[in-house]
Amino acid sequence: MAAATLPAGLVLQPGARTLRAFCTSVTPAARSAIPSPRECQSRRLRALREALPPRTEKMTVDQDWPSVYPVAAPFKPSAVPLPIRMGYPVKRGVPMAKEGNLELLKIPNFLHLTPVAIKKHCEALKDFCTEWPAALDSDEKCEKHFPIEIDTADYVSAGPSIRNPKARVVTLRVKLSSLNLDDHAKKKLIKLVGERYCKTTDVQQIGHCISELTFSFQKTEEWEKDKTEADMEEYIWENSSSEKNILQTLLQMKAAEKNLEINEEELLGTKEVEDYKKSVVSLKNKGDNENTLSQYKESVKKLLNLM
Amino acid sequence: TMLRRMTRLLSGARQLDPGRFLHRGSPAPQSLDAHLDDQRPRAVSCTSEDDPVKTFNEACLMVRKPALELLHYLKNTNFAHPAVRYVLYGEKGTGKTLSLCHVVHFCAKQDWLILHIPDAHLWVKNCRGLLQSSYNKQRFDQPVEASIWLKNFKTANERFLSQIKVQEKYVWNKRESTEKGSPLGAVVEQGLTRVRNATDAVGIVLKELKNQSCLGAFHLLVAVDGVNALWGRTSLKREDKSLIAPEELALVCSLRKMVRNDWHGGAIVLTLSQTGSLFKPRKAYLPQELLGKEGFDALDPFIPILVSNYNPKEFESCIQYYLENKWLQHEKAHTEEGKKELLFLSDANPGQLERLCAYL
């Protein structure tokens, strides 16, 4: 009965409907003219829900963002003016929008740490800092006076525990040239350090105490005497098989020409042999390429009189 | 197949008198190319359909700069000095093997004794029938490969086999021995008939030739293709599946001794080859990469000679040759565009060009 008499357009809350059911004495005409308190409330709430736009629409482009997010706060879709989407899309769909997106709420955000905000922090912290020493104005000077660099890393993450095992690693970097080692000690250090030596920047990373190491490398260890040709980092021409070969060849050539007065040192001292030596060393150390190979070819041709 | 063709060509070449070789002047002026014609008796070649030797009824080599350079050196060789080693290297398909064959042909015409190993890689992989050497217990014999090589050697150098006499007595087994002073041909025969002793026969032949070339009776050319096989790794295994090092193969040992320069009276021409080499990356073509440290030290000092792709003139004349012999049937092959397309596709690489033209 009561339901049939309701005028169209009025969407009532269940509470209102039950009230309705009880006041049957009121006529339909009167009912529509005087809205009940509940009805008023619902109408007002409706207007509130629909009318208020999100705060983002009122934001200008050059507003002061640190005041929007002064501290770490959860993601508020109505306060962040970016059209972010996050989530796994359904088939033939797009990721979910930011309104009511739980994923965006779950992840940590750094909206309170924009560069502008950090600049402000720095400005505030400046009062507590001392000045950078004026003498250390270039990288080389810094390295000269402070050759050892220590890297520590701290990790920040959201998780069940505040500890992070990677934070225990400390890297110590030292430039080899600043260690004052002689040739022998340097080679030994490079060999022991192995992969951790970076040739191009001459930087080496180790994790022990420096002074102990420098001292220990001056001594010659027992196992070093076993260094064979395969271990040599660079190719040294003296005493190599290449030298023996060329010497033999030249001696044979001289013998064929009945020129037996020349001895070995003289042979090794000639210009052609010098050139040959240089070309072989560069070939071995730098590897094959057009230049080294043609150099080698020319020197061999001169040596063997093949021009 | 290129190698096999060339060995047949060479063994055929040695049988003919030098007067039978014809040289045809090059059609294009001012180009480096001359075509060598070689009328081969058909009985020698038993070829398949795609062998250009049979197809063209002639064997043609393009004369190119690396080969000319090498020939220049060889002409000026001082036979009193130790043998000089020349190493031909280059990318795949640029013509190292054919340059080697050109040089061998030249030396054959000049009446040198040719010691040609077509492919040293064949000696270090896929060998069946490895025997323990009777001469040296540490080493292994390869009867099959040795006998094949002896056969080729015989056909190539028949003339010399009766002239050269061995200088020592060699005892093969209880009943057979070769006396001092008997011709080298007897050793070769022994190796061919008794296959078990073939490897030792090869070793003896090499040793004798090395010693005797110093005496000056003949000039010796040692030509090895794929010499990087001698210092690389092998793919041969013993019965207990352990790998054999190249030093343990008797053939490899004797060949290594041969390419040392402690003898005189000849020359050594070698090529490096990645095709067929074991455990080397495809792009490797530089001497040190393919020879390794050991090989380089053994061959040092040598003259490296680079063999590169065709230059424009060579490319042009190669195409002309194919067109003249009606090898290229495609209509567009005559046009400028077609030639440019072929140039682009093959990047002037001789091997690639041949493969492309095979379809056209």
Side-chain angles (χ1 to χ4, degrees), chain B residues 65-84:
Chain B
K65 216 151 148 199
L68 283 177
E69 197 185 332
L70 201 43
L71 292 179
H72 171 72
Y73 294 142
L74 285 176
K75 279 181 213 159
N76 300 338
T77 327
N78 184 340
F79 292 108
H81 283 180
V84 183

PDB file of all heavy atoms in Angstrom, chain B residues 65-84:
ATOM      1  N   LYS B  65      96.911 -10.469 -55.954  1.00  0.00           N
ATOM      2  CA  LYS B  65      98.094  -9.838 -55.372  1.00  0.00           C
ATOM      3  C   LYS B  65      98.855 -10.684 -54.349  1.00  0.00           C
ATOM      4  O   LYS B  65     100.072 -10.726 -54.394  1.00  0.00           O
ATOM      5  CB  LYS B  65      97.664  -8.521 -54.711  1.00  0.00           C
ATOM      6  CG  LYS B  65      98.687  -7.466 -54.855  1.00  0.00           C
ATOM      7  CD  LYS B  65      98.056  -6.125 -54.867  1.00  0.00           C
ATOM      8  CE  LYS B  65      99.024  -5.140 -54.242  1.00  0.00           C
ATOM      9  NZ  LYS B  65      98.325  -3.956 -53.825  1.00  0.00           N
ATOM     10  N   PRO B  66      98.159 -11.330 -53.393  1.00  0.00           N
ATOM     11  CA  PRO B  66      98.940 -12.088 -52.404  1.00  0.00           C
ATOM     12  C   PRO B  66      99.801 -13.156 -53.054  1.00  0.00           C
ATOM     13  O   PRO B  66     100.959 -13.344 -52.696  1.00  0.00           O
ATOM     14  CB  PRO B  66      97.872 -12.706 -51.501  1.00  0.00           C
ATOM     15  CG  PRO B  66      96.645 -11.950 -51.759  1.00  0.00           C
ATOM     16  CD  PRO B  66      96.727 -11.433 -53.140  1.00  0.00           C
ATOM     17  N   ALA B  67      99.209 -13.828 -54.064  1.00  0.00           N
ATOM     18  CA  ALA B  67      99.978 -14.883 -54.711  1.00  0.00           C
ATOM     19  C   ALA B  67     101.166 -14.299 -55.462  1.00  0.00           C
ATOM     20  O   ALA B  67     102.267 -14.855 -55.439  1.00  0.00           O
ATOM     21  CB  ALA B  67      99.080 -15.668 -55.667  1.00  0.00           C
ATOM     22  N   LEU B  68     100.936 -13.141 -56.098  1.00  0.00           N
ATOM     23  CA  LEU B  68     102.036 -12.521 -56.837  1.00  0.00           C
ATOM     24  C   LEU B  68     103.157 -12.115 -55.901  1.00  0.00           C
ATOM     25  O   LEU B  68     104.349 -12.301 -56.193  1.00  0.00           O
ATOM     26  CB  LEU B  68     101.537 -11.290 -57.588  1.00  0.00           C
ATOM     27  CG  LEU B  68     100.754 -11.577 -58.854  1.00  0.00           C
ATOM     28  CD1 LEU B  68     100.259 -10.291 -59.460  1.00  0.00           C
ATOM     29  CD2 LEU B  68     101.597 -12.333 -59.836  1.00  0.00           C
ATOM     30  N   GLU B  69     102.760 -11.589 -54.754  1.00  0.00           N
ATOM     31  CA  GLU B  69     103.775 -11.193 -53.764  1.00  0.00           C
ATOM     32  C   GLU B  69     104.616 -12.395 -53.365  1.00  0.00           C
ATOM     33  O   GLU B  69     105.846 -12.344 -53.330  1.00  0.00           O
ATOM     34  CB  GLU B  69     103.032 -10.625 -52.555  1.00  0.00           C
ATOM     35  CG  GLU B  69     103.872  -9.815 -51.624  1.00  0.00           C
ATOM     36  CD  GLU B  69     103.059  -9.413 -50.400  1.00  0.00           C
ATOM     37  OE1 GLU B  69     101.816  -9.292 -50.500  1.00  0.00           O
ATOM     38  OE2 GLU B  69     103.674  -9.228 -49.349  1.00  0.00           O
ATOM     39  N   LEU B  70     103.894 -13.482 -53.089  1.00  0.00           N
ATOM     40  CA  LEU B  70     104.583 -14.694 -52.657  1.00  0.00           C
ATOM     41  C   LEU B  70     105.500 -15.219 -53.742  1.00  0.00           C
ATOM     42  O   LEU B  70     106.632 -15.639 -53.471  1.00  0.00           O
ATOM     43  CB  LEU B  70     103.519 -15.735 -52.307  1.00  0.00           C
ATOM     44  CG  LEU B  70     103.914 -16.866 -51.400  1.00  0.00           C
ATOM     45  CD1 LEU B  70     104.727 -16.370 -50.266  1.00  0.00           C
ATOM     46  CD2 LEU B  70     102.673 -17.530 -50.885  1.00  0.00           C
ATOM     47  N   LEU B  71     105.029 -15.162 -54.985  1.00  0.00           N
ATOM     48  CA  LEU B  71     105.859 -15.653 -56.074  1.00  0.00           C
ATOM     49  C   LEU B  71     107.110 -14.805 -56.218  1.00  0.00           C
ATOM     50  O   LEU B  71     108.198 -15.314 -56.511  1.00  0.00           O
ATOM     51  CB  LEU B  71     105.067 -15.637 -57.387  1.00  0.00           C
ATOM     52  CG  LEU B  71     103.927 -16.636 -57.436  1.00  0.00           C
ATOM     53  CD1 LEU B  71     103.192 -16.542 -58.741  1.00  0.00           C
ATOM     54  CD2 LEU B  71     104.430 -18.036 -57.238  1.00  0.00           C
ATOM     55  N   HIS B  72     106.955 -13.514 -55.992  1.00  0.00           N
ATOM     56  CA  HIS B  72     108.108 -12.617 -56.050  1.00  0.00           C
ATOM     57  C   HIS B  72     109.160 -13.028 -55.023  1.00  0.00           C
ATOM     58  O   HIS B  72     110.353 -13.116 -55.320  1.00  0.00           O
ATOM     59  CB  HIS B  72     107.621 -11.195 -55.812  1.00  0.00           C
ATOM     60  CG  HIS B  72     108.716 -10.196 -55.639  1.00  0.00           C
ATOM     61  ND1 HIS B  72     109.505  -9.769 -56.677  1.00  0.00           N
ATOM     62  CD2 HIS B  72     109.158  -9.555 -54.546  1.00  0.00           C
ATOM     63  CE1 HIS B  72     110.377  -8.896 -56.228  1.00  0.00           C
ATOM     64  NE2 HIS B  72     110.196  -8.745 -54.940  1.00  0.00           N
ATOM     65  N   TYR B  73     108.673 -13.300 -53.792  1.00  0.00           N
ATOM     66  CA  TYR B  73     109.634 -13.732 -52.769  1.00  0.00           C
ATOM     67  C   TYR B  73     110.296 -15.041 -53.154  1.00  0.00           C
ATOM     68  O   TYR B  73     111.494 -15.241 -52.964  1.00  0.00           O
ATOM     69  CB  TYR B  73     108.928 -13.944 -51.421  1.00  0.00           C
ATOM     70  CG  TYR B  73     108.378 -12.711 -50.787  1.00  0.00           C
ATOM     71  CD1 TYR B  73     107.162 -12.755 -50.121  1.00  0.00           C
ATOM     72  CD2 TYR B  73     109.055 -11.505 -50.828  1.00  0.00           C
ATOM     73  CE1 TYR B  73     106.642 -11.643 -49.527  1.00  0.00           C
ATOM     74  CE2 TYR B  73     108.528 -10.384 -50.238  1.00  0.00           C
ATOM     75  CZ  TYR B  73     107.329 -10.457 -49.598  1.00  0.00           C
ATOM     76  OH  TYR B  73     106.798  -9.359 -49.006  1.00  0.00           O
ATOM     77  N   LEU B  74     109.477 -15.937 -53.698  1.00  0.00           N
ATOM     78  CA  LEU B  74     110.033 -17.252 -54.000  1.00  0.00           C
ATOM     79  C   LEU B  74     111.071 -17.170 -55.111  1.00  0.00           C
ATOM     80  O   LEU B  74     112.068 -17.882 -55.100  1.00  0.00           O
ATOM     81  CB  LEU B  74     108.916 -18.212 -54.404  1.00  0.00           C
ATOM     82  CG  LEU B  74     108.063 -18.697 -53.243  1.00  0.00           C
ATOM     83  CD1 LEU B  74     106.929 -19.551 -53.753  1.00  0.00           C
ATOM     84  CD2 LEU B  74     108.886 -19.501 -52.266  1.00  0.00           C
ATOM     85  N   LYS B  75     110.786 -16.265 -56.053  1.00  0.00           N
ATOM     86  CA  LYS B  75     111.763 -16.149 -57.146  1.00  0.00           C
ATOM     87  C   LYS B  75     113.096 -15.642 -56.622  1.00  0.00           C
ATOM     88  O   LYS B  75     114.150 -15.985 -57.131  1.00  0.00           O
ATOM     89  CB  LYS B  75     111.241 -15.183 -58.213  1.00  0.00           C
ATOM     90  CG  LYS B  75     110.274 -15.801 -59.166  1.00  0.00           C
ATOM     91  CD  LYS B  75     109.827 -14.801 -60.209  1.00  0.00           C
ATOM     92  CE  LYS B  75     108.397 -15.113 -60.582  1.00  0.00           C
ATOM     93  NZ  LYS B  75     107.693 -13.991 -61.179  1.00  0.00           N
ATOM     94  N   ASN B  76     113.021 -14.790 -55.582  1.00  0.00           N
ATOM     95  CA  ASN B  76     114.257 -14.237 -55.052  1.00  0.00           C
ATOM     96  C   ASN B  76     114.789 -15.020 -53.875  1.00  0.00           C
ATOM     97  O   ASN B  76     115.536 -14.485 -53.065  1.00  0.00           O
ATOM     98  CB  ASN B  76     114.016 -12.792 -54.577  1.00  0.00           C
ATOM     99  CG  ASN B  76     113.555 -11.938 -55.722  1.00  0.00           C
ATOM    100  OD1 ASN B  76     113.792 -12.280 -56.860  1.00  0.00           O
ATOM    101  ND2 ASN B  76     112.896 -10.849 -55.392  1.00  0.00           N
ATOM    102  N   THR B  77     114.403 -16.267 -53.732  1.00  0.00           N
ATOM    103  CA  THR B  77     114.873 -17.022 -52.565  1.00  0.00           C
ATOM    104  C   THR B  77     116.356 -17.283 -52.657  1.00  0.00           C
ATOM    105  O   THR B  77     116.886 -17.603 -53.711  1.00  0.00           O
ATOM    106  CB  THR B  77     114.187 -18.397 -52.500  1.00  0.00           C
ATOM    107  OG1 THR B  77     112.908 -18.278 -53.004  1.00  0.00           O
ATOM    108  CG2 THR B  77     114.147 -18.910 -51.098  1.00  0.00           C
ATOM    109  N   ASN B  78     116.961 -17.150 -51.530  1.00  0.00           N
ATOM    110  CA  ASN B  78     118.366 -17.503 -51.433  1.00  0.00           C
ATOM    111  C   ASN B  78     118.421 -18.905 -50.864  1.00  0.00           C
ATOM    112  O   ASN B  78     118.103 -19.128 -49.695  1.00  0.00           O
ATOM    113  CB  ASN B  78     119.053 -16.498 -50.498  1.00  0.00           C
ATOM    114  CG  ASN B  78     120.542 -16.755 -50.423  1.00  0.00           C
ATOM    115  OD1 ASN B  78     121.012 -17.836 -50.744  1.00  0.00           O
ATOM    116  ND2 ASN B  78     121.274 -15.742 -50.004  1.00  0.00           N
ATOM    117  N   PHE B  79     118.827 -19.864 -51.691  1.00  0.00           N
ATOM    118  CA  PHE B  79     118.727 -21.248 -51.235  1.00  0.00           C
ATOM    119  C   PHE B  79     119.786 -21.639 -50.231  1.00  0.00           C
ATOM    120  O   PHE B  79     119.767 -22.736 -49.713  1.00  0.00           O
ATOM    121  CB  PHE B  79     118.764 -22.192 -52.439  1.00  0.00           C
ATOM    122  CG  PHE B  79     117.551 -22.049 -53.273  1.00  0.00           C
ATOM    123  CD1 PHE B  79     117.603 -21.437 -54.500  1.00  0.00           C
ATOM    124  CD2 PHE B  79     116.331 -22.495 -52.810  1.00  0.00           C
ATOM    125  CE1 PHE B  79     116.470 -21.285 -55.270  1.00  0.00           C
ATOM    126  CE2 PHE B  79     115.197 -22.341 -53.569  1.00  0.00           C
ATOM    127  CZ  PHE B  79     115.264 -21.738 -54.806  1.00  0.00           C
ATOM    128  N   ALA B  80     120.725 -20.740 -49.977  1.00  0.00           N
ATOM    129  CA  ALA B  80     121.708 -21.081 -48.962  1.00  0.00           C
ATOM    130  C   ALA B  80     121.219 -20.722 -47.572  1.00  0.00           C
ATOM    131  O   ALA B  80     121.703 -21.250 -46.577  1.00  0.00           O
ATOM    132  CB  ALA B  80     123.006 -20.344 -49.250  1.00  0.00           C
ATOM    133  N   HIS B  81     120.252 -19.811 -47.518  1.00  0.00           N
ATOM    134  CA  HIS B  81     119.739 -19.405 -46.216  1.00  0.00           C
ATOM    135  C   HIS B  81     118.699 -20.395 -45.734  1.00  0.00           C
ATOM    136  O   HIS B  81     118.120 -21.136 -46.527  1.00  0.00           O
ATOM    137  CB  HIS B  81     119.096 -18.017 -46.337  1.00  0.00           C
ATOM    138  CG  HIS B  81     120.096 -16.932 -46.402  1.00  0.00           C
ATOM    139  ND1 HIS B  81     119.745 -15.620 -46.507  1.00  0.00           N
ATOM    140  CD2 HIS B  81     121.440 -16.951 -46.359  1.00  0.00           C
ATOM    141  CE1 HIS B  81     120.830 -14.877 -46.530  1.00  0.00           C
ATOM    142  NE2 HIS B  81     121.871 -15.660 -46.456  1.00  0.00           N
ATOM    143  N   PRO B  82     118.406 -20.377 -44.432  1.00  0.00           N
ATOM    144  CA  PRO B  82     117.365 -21.284 -43.948  1.00  0.00           C
ATOM    145  C   PRO B  82     116.031 -20.993 -44.621  1.00  0.00           C
ATOM    146  O   PRO B  82     115.756 -19.877 -45.025  1.00  0.00           O
ATOM    147  CB  PRO B  82     117.267 -20.975 -42.448  1.00  0.00           C
ATOM    148  CG  PRO B  82     118.451 -20.204 -42.119  1.00  0.00           C
ATOM    149  CD  PRO B  82     119.029 -19.641 -43.343  1.00  0.00           C
ATOM    150  N   ALA B  83     115.225 -22.033 -44.719  1.00  0.00           N
ATOM    151  CA  ALA B  83     113.954 -21.904 -45.428  1.00  0.00           C
ATOM    152  C   ALA B  83     113.078 -20.857 -44.753  1.00  0.00           C
ATOM    153  O   ALA B  83     112.907 -20.868 -43.537  1.00  0.00           O
ATOM    154  CB  ALA B  83     113.234 -23.246 -45.437  1.00  0.00           C
ATOM    155  N   VAL B  84     112.533 -19.960 -45.559  1.00  0.00           N
ATOM    156  CA  VAL B  84     111.683 -18.912 -45.011  1.00  0.00           C
ATOM    157  C   VAL B  84     110.254 -19.421 -44.967  1.00  0.00           C
ATOM    158  O   VAL B  84     109.799 -20.116 -45.868  1.00  0.00           O
ATOM    159  CB  VAL B  84     111.738 -17.651 -45.893  1.00  0.00           C
ATOM    160  CG1 VAL B  84     110.923 -16.559 -45.265  1.00  0.00           C
ATOM    161  CG2 VAL B  84     113.170 -17.225 -46.089  1.00  0.00           C
TER     162      VAL B  84
END
